[in-house]
Amino acid sequence: MSLISHTLLSIPPTIFLFLISMFFLTLTLINKPRIEYHNILFIPILFIIYLLTTQPFFFPSLHRVFGLLCSFLYIVPVVYFGSKLKTQELEKVINFFIIFSFIILVSEGISRLIDPEMKYAQFKGVDSRWIYMYKFDGIMYTDSNATGLHIICLFFFILYWAREREKKFLFIRWGLIILLIFTFSRAAWLGAIIGLIYIYGFKGKYFKRFIIFMSTSGIIVAFLGIGYSKISGDISFLSKLYILETTYDYLKSADIMNLIFGVGFFKSEEVLGIYGHNIFIVFLLESGIIGLTFILMLFSSFVYYTRKKALWVLIPYLVTSFSAITTFVPYLYGTVGLIYLIEQSKLNRHKCK
């Protein structure tokens, strides 16, 4: 919902809408103080407490840290309010969420593609840098890598939802594929391919598995081959190697307290000279070994409490985040919360039988 962040509201709508949801959650708890406990919320809340008690000592950017905390907290109102809905009501909410998200992402794609960053136009036909004309200053995100992450989470959630219900959303699925292509985010492309391999490459009959595996392997080999041929002129690729190298050098001489607690969120650039651009490097440097442990526990708990179904979204997300990461991903935690609700609904129906 950052669509209107620079036009109508002085704060990002994601945060504004989150505050509204938390306000209603508070009213609900005042009127009905008995809280329904959900195990999946334990690690996110514990992680938030850790960040609240440690991050102020590092004087990070407050509005960015607030956005990060909201991102983790998004799963709370989703799970709490969603658990109060009947199955048919939850289905209506999910269907509306999918359609509305698609409309927003189409708007983002159109606005970014019709208003390119012309300073990169000189590179067109010379090297890969011309694609940056269409990667920056969208109406939702500064960088289309973030848009790619958003599309990936929505696309793979739709694949999961289509398996659970008869509504397939074929038009939206193909539309998201087209939008993903035009993000020019190679990390997101690779994440989508690996995600599809996970979902379709190891299921069904042996012959089907073999054909799909060979086909997708061929795509990956071609993808890597093209990338390798352009390494010498690919600034983005070289920067990822530079990040790994400088991170290793930093860790060898880092202060023990910084290793344990980090240097503060959105401060990795101060110690590396460049932003981390890798989910594990970012959480290791900015929230320390404890923070990295928390994020690993968080994702593991999602997998456990959704009976592994969260992997449909987490695998492509994590693959993409090895090269393109933004810590403000409320849509990730929102979709995981929905998957949890769907799986709990199935489990409850099974118990009733």
Side-chain angles (χ1 to χ4, degrees):
M1 283 298 296
S2 296
L3 176 66
I4 52 176
S5 61
H6 301 298
T7 55
L8 300 180
L9 300 174
S10 59
I11 61 174
T14 31
I15 296 177
F16 178 74
L17 294 174
F18 168 77
L19 292 175
I20 292 177
S21 69
M22 294 304 291
F23 171 74
F24 282 108
L25 178 60
T26 302
L27 290 182
T28 304
L29 296 178
I30 291 174
N31 293 325
K32 298 179 180 179
R34 184 176 178 274
I35 300 176
E36 184 178 346
Y37 180 71
H38 295 275
N39 290 324
I40 197 172
L41 301 180
F42 177 71
I43 298 297
I45 292 175
L46 198 61
F47 194 8
I48 290 167
I49 293 173
Y50 166 72
L51 294 176
L52 285 173
T53 54
T54 58
Q55 286 298 304
F57 293 99
F58 300 104
F59 305 102
S61 174
L62 291 180
H63 74 280
R64 289 187 172 183
V65 172
F66 183 68
L68 173 69
L69 295 175
C70 288
S71 186
F72 287 129
L73 273 172
Y74 249 82
I75 194 172
V76 176
V78 169
V79 169
Y80 184 82
F81 287 120
S83 64
K84 305 297 182 185
L85 298 177
K86 296 178 181 178
T87 302
Q88 290 182 338
E89 293 173 333
L90 181 61
E91 288 182 8
K92 290 180 180 180
V93 169
I94 291 174
N95 292 337
F96 176 80
F97 160 69
I98 291 172
I99 295 170
F100 187 73
S101 297
F102 178 67
I103 293 172
I104 295 296
L105 288 167
V106 167
S107 302
E108 192 281 338
I110 292 174
S111 70
R112 180 166 38 81
L113 294 173
I114 65 175
D115 186 25
E117 187 70 54
M118 295 308 296
K119 68 180 179 181
Y120 294 100
Q122 59 181 308
F123 298 112
K124 194 164 186 177
V126 179
D127 59 30
S128 63
R129 280 175 287 178
W130 70 269
I131 64 176
Y132 290 97
M133 293 168 56
Y134 305 102
K135 286 179 66 69
F136 296 128
D137 296 328
I139 57 176
M140 289 177 68
Y141 304 104
T142 302
D143 188 332
S144 67
N145 285 332
T147 308
L149 278 171
H150 195 148
I151 293 172
I152 278 208
C153 290
L154 180 62
F155 177 76
F156 282 92
F157 173 74
I158 291 174
L159 293 185
Y160 163 79
W161 181 234
R163 193 200 66 164
E164 299 296 323
R165 297 295 184 271
E166 293 182 359
K167 199 171 182 65
K168 301 300 183 182
F169 291 102
L170 288 177
F171 175 80
I172 291 180
R173 283 155 64 174
W174 281 108
L176 289 174
I177 290 174
I178 294 172
L179 290 174
L180 184 64
I181 292 172
F182 284 102
T183 62
F184 297 101
S185 173
R186 288 159 289 182
W189 295 348
L190 184 60
I193 292 171
I194 298 299
L196 290 172
I197 290 176
Y198 169 75
I199 294 173
Y200 297 114
F202 303 100
K203 301 180 186 297
K205 296 181 179 180
Y206 176 79
F207 182 74
K208 180 183 176 182
R209 294 203 306 266
F210 178 78
I211 294 298
I212 295 176
F213 179 77
M214 292 302 295
S215 300
T216 50
S217 296
I219 293 172
I220 292 176
V221 169
F223 182 89
L224 294 177
I226 294 171
Y228 180 76
S229 66
K230 295 186 176 183
I231 284 177
S232 59
D234 193 335
I235 298 174
S236 177
F237 184 87
L238 292 175
S239 69
K240 304 306 186 293
L241 296 179
Y242 175 75
I243 289 169
L244 293 174
E245 181 182 348
T246 52
T247 298
Y248 176 73
D249 292 337
Y250 166 74
L251 292 176
K252 288 192 299 184
S253 58
D255 180 85
I256 186 65
M257 295 300 290
N258 286 339
L259 284 176
I260 295 174
F261 298 105
V263 297
F265 270 102
F266 305 98
K267 286 193 169 186
S268 60
E269 189 169 354
E270 294 183 11
V271 295
L272 297 183
I274 185 174
Y275 185 64
H277 286 293
N278 178 302
I279 185 170
F280 299 111
I281 288 177
V282 166
F283 276 93
L284 174 60
L285 295 183
E286 298 183 350
S287 61
I289 294 173
I290 297 177
L292 178 60
T293 302
F294 263 119
I295 199 68
L296 293 174
M297 290 171 58
L298 181 71
F299 292 149
S300 298
S301 71
F302 288 165
V303 174
Y304 178 78
Y305 289 117
T306 61
R307 300 189 294 176
K308 299 183 181 179
K309 299 305 189 300
L311 288 173
W312 284 55
V313 172
L314 285 177
I315 285 179
Y317 169 78
L318 289 174
V319 171
T320 304
S321 295
F322 269 100
S323 179
I325 175 62
T326 175
T327 54
F328 184 60
V329 284
Y331 46 85
L332 170 67
Y333 301 108
T335 52
V336 169
L338 292 175
I339 292 173
Y340 168 78
L341 292 171
I342 296 165
E343 291 301 314
Q344 287 297 303
S345 177
K346 289 163 55 179
L347 192 61
N348 292 335
R349 290 200 302 269
H350 179 73
K351 288 180 179 179
C352 291
K353 292 179 180 179

